[in-house]
Amino acid sequence: MQETMRRGTLIQLPVLPLRGMMVFPHMVLHFDVGRPKSVAALEKAMIEDQRIFLVAQQEAEIDDPSMNDLCRVGTIAQIKQVLNLPGDSIRVLVEGVQRAVLSSISETEPCMIGVIRPVREEPVRDSAEMKALVRTAHEFFEEYCNASMRVPQETMRSVMEVDKPDQLADVIAANVLTKLEDRQAILEKLRARDRLEALCAILLRETELADVEKQVQARIKRQIEKNQKDYYLREQIKAIQTELGDKEATDVEELREKLAKTPVNDEAREKAEKELERLSRMAPGTPEIGISRTYIEWILDLPWGKMTDDNLDLKRARKVLEEDHYGLEKVKERIIEYLAVLRMKKDMKGPILCFAGPPGVGKTSIVRGIAKAVGREFVQMSLGGVRDEAEIRGHRRTYVGAIPGRIISGIKQAGTMNPVFLFDEIDKMTSDFRGDPASAMLEVLDAEQNFAFRDHYMELPFDLSHVMFITTANNIENIPPALLDRLEIIEVPSYTDEEKLKISRKHLLPKQIAAHGLKPRSVKVNDKVMRTIIEGYTREAGVRTLERTIARVVRKATVEMLDDKVETVTVNAEKLNSYLGAVRFTREELEKENRIGVVNGLAYTTVGGEMLQVECTIMQGSGVLQLTGKLGDVMQESAKAALSWVRAHCEPWGIPAEFFKQHDIHIHVPEGAVPKDGPSAGVTLITALVSALTSIPVKQSVAMTGEITLRGRVLPIGGLKEKLMAAYRAGVKLVLIPHENVKDLEDVDAAILERMEIKPVTDVTEVIRTALVCEPPMVSESQIETPLPIQPKSKANAYRGL
């Protein structure tokens, strides 16, 4: 406080904190008191000299303030009247006497007693500067009253009559200022000159704000008047057009009302309003009316702001996945992980899942299961054969018959902004002169871009960031690298025969019985007959053909039930043959005798694993290597690498160098009409060559797979699970695999590992030593890099631990 200000002596008075208000000296005010301590302070003041210290709270929300919650400067007031109101409230009338400073609090119960220092103001000198300050305050006050139009004329006149500097600032502040901070700032100015200067600054600021408010209010008023005028005119036009039977005008108004209720974004609303205005001015019968209305309806039919609540109960999700899908444990585990993270982080912008695997293994149904488990709508878009970018982004409206792309169409079909959206067969997209749809998919599947996806037809941003995009593919090698980089690949393996058997009994057979209107268990098929159906009438990685075959059996059984008037039919081997005819497929059978130049190889195809025999023969010729069996480029290169290794290591066999110039070598892989490719036949080709050149037979109970190098190293391969399954079906006793593939044995069924011996190898010399009936001269212990085959009691457990 100013040093020049004379202070009064310290006194003690009851303290009454005020919330959202304050009292100035010379001001008469009434207010209600309800807090217990405030009532107690009021009663104590009435008992004594009816004086009380009124001070504003810094925070109005505090019910029981302490000294730190109070302002330091307040007003000593004289209580004029006390009136008890219904309830516990009291209405009190007070008059401000003088400013005072709160020094401390001496008591807090039953009320606050403050140590108060009254402020005695110095006499105001009647100087020219003070007169000018009073006149300026009057002028600023008058300008504010004229600008704001909030101060009554009576108040204005009474204030203009006040000419005492020490009272003028308090009177104006009490009647004009609305902010508690401004009022308290004036109260804390202890000299009249300082109060007037601060008040003039505040009045100037408030006058400018009042002028801006008047401008804003005038603009809003004009807009409202325009809107009312437009509404009135539209209603008149609508009534006239209704009388004339003009249906187009009625449709425009309905679209306008629908737009007002739809929470579209600003750009969409602007485009829709512009198009509506254009539509309303078109003459009846104009061809563009239908185009314009269709565009507006597309905007309004999109699910702006509509979301379905996610059900992220992991137990329920596991139950749904288990009900609809057998096996696929790793796939289900990854889906549960995805949902768990989604539950923890609601706005997760995670990777786009891509289920990759052969046809018929349940990729699409898994995605349906995810949608069912989460409780979202499901949309499926097949990308097979899509070669036009407009299929993704839509056609521009300049074209006749333009429509939005299938992304926007799918969102409209779902009716929500967060469906599960499946891009099926994403590896089947192609490109031509009309564009590259795979490039258009980059924006759709990128979480950093798809929040403002623009369809060429709609020409406005639409948020796709809430959509759960999932894709499926048969061969990920056909997916462009930039698109593949946005996907998290989840391998969906082919089913084993055991898995197919369980799927048939648990899902397929009951499903077909119900689909044909039969009672449960009215068609009985035992495991032996079901295995015959699986192995003899289907050859696939999935179960689609198997389901169709079972459906055929059920249809035949239905006819028999109606003919013989029986309620159940048991399908045995004889009936199966009459239903389906002769067995279509026979599994590979091992040669009973060991043969020269014939080796059992293992291949991985789109329908699962297969066992292929590689045949090699030597004949007189000119050193030509003949390869037949429709071999691909990679497999032909593997054959050339195998021959190079054999020629480099054949000296101990007693074969002269001129031998390869005087003889032709013919390698053939049967089923010549079936294309074959890949590097995993390297060890098979070398073994066949060595057997043919040394005339040493190959053990027919052995099968092998592995890529080779010119140094004879055996490199890892893919599809080990399917290849071992093929060897298991054929009755192979020993399978040679690359040592680096031992880790993949964890995915192989324990039943397969228990019935076969698996031997990891790192060098072709070990392959030759194991596969041939007797070892050729070149093979010795010093050339073998790995230990002898492991002979565990339980092979499944042993190889799972490698």
Side-chain angles (χ1 to χ4, degrees), residues 26 367 677 726:
H26 317 294
V367 182
D677 203 0

Side-chain angles (χ1 to χ4, degrees), residues 88 104 148 155 228 244 279 337 395 423 638 641 663 707 744:
D88 297 330
S104 62
S148 67
T155 304
Q228 290 176 339
L244 295 174
L279 178 61
E337 291 172 0
H395 298 81
F423 291 114
S638 295
H663 293 78
E707 183 181 352
D744 299 325

Side-chain angles (χ1 to χ4, degrees), residues 467-742:
V467 180
M468 185 187 293
F469 288 110
I470 302 178
T471 66
T472 67
N474 295 131
N475 187 1
I476 61 174
E477 295 179 359
N478 295 334
I479 303 176
L483 185 57
L484 185 63
D485 184 59
R486 287 165 166 77
L487 307 177
E488 178 182 342
I489 306 300
I490 299 178
E491 296 287 346
V492 184
S494 57
Y495 293 115
T496 66
D497 287 352
E498 292 297 324
E499 288 174 335
K500 288 182 180 179
L501 177 63
K502 294 176 180 177
I503 291 171
S504 300
R505 301 204 63 81
K506 185 177 180 181
H507 297 285
L508 302 184
L509 183 58
K511 177 182 176 182
Q512 291 303 321
I513 290 174
H516 288 78
L518 303 179
K519 295 180 180 179
R521 300 182 182 180
S522 56
V523 178
K524 299 179 180 179
V525 182
N526 60 35
D527 288 353
K528 184 178 180 181
V529 174
M530 190 64 76
R531 287 183 188 276
T532 305
I533 296 174
I534 294 170
E535 298 177 2
Y537 295 92
T538 65
R539 178 167 290 182
E540 59 177 346
V543 292
R544 281 199 186 122
T545 304
L546 177 59
E547 184 173 8
R548 289 194 294 269
T549 306
I550 291 175
R552 186 179 174 189
V553 171
V554 174
R555 288 197 301 271
K556 296 287 186 180
T558 303
V559 173
E560 184 177 336
M561 291 167 65
L562 293 175
D563 288 342
D564 299 343
K565 297 182 179 180
V566 294
E567 294 186 355
T568 61
V569 171
T570 301
V571 181
N572 52 30
E574 183 180 349
K575 285 186 178 181
L576 183 65
N577 187 64
S578 66
Y579 287 172
L580 302 179
V583 173
R584 296 177 57 197
F585 303 105
T586 56
R587 295 298 182 186
E588 305 87 347
E589 294 184 359
L590 298 177
E591 295 279 352
K592 295 182 179 179
E593 298 180 2
N594 298 331
R595 294 186 177 275
I596 297 173
V598 180
V599 184
N600 296 321
L602 299 173
Y604 175 54
T605 69
T606 56
V607 296
E610 295 289 342
M611 194 175 79
L612 299 176
Q613 287 188 332
V614 176
E615 301 173 347
C616 180
T617 186
I618 311 294
M619 67 196 88
Q620 292 290 335
S622 57
V624 176
L625 173 64
Q626 296 183 14
L627 302 173
T628 58
K630 209 170 184 180
L631 308 185
D633 294 340
V634 177
M635 197 167 183
Q636 292 184 32
E637 292 175 357
S638 295
K640 294 174 183 178
L643 179 59
S644 297
W645 186 90
V646 169
R647 292 181 64 178
H649 295 79
C650 67
E651 184 178 352
W653 306 338
I655 299 176
E658 293 78 12
F659 177 85
F660 292 98
K661 297 181 181 180
Q662 300 170 357
H663 293 78
D664 290 345
I665 300 176
H666 186 174
I667 296 177
H668 177 67
V669 183
E671 295 197 21
V674 180
K676 310 168 189 72
D677 203 0
S680 63
V683 293
T684 312
L685 294 167
I686 279 186
T687 305
L689 283 168
V690 173
S691 174
L693 290 171
T694 60
S695 299
I696 300 176
V698 180
K699 299 174 184 176
Q700 293 303 300
S701 61
V702 176
M704 61 191 68
T705 182
E707 183 181 352
I708 59 164
T709 68
L710 287 176
R711 293 181 295 160
R713 291 181 57 230
V714 180
L715 301 182
I717 46 83
L720 181 64
K721 176 183 176 181
E722 288 77 9
K723 292 178 179 180
L724 292 180
M725 200 181 309
Y728 165 74
R729 290 196 302 259
V732 172
K733 303 299 181 184
L734 173 64
V735 180
L736 305 179
I737 67 171
H739 196 278
E740 293 184 37
N741 282 111
V742 170

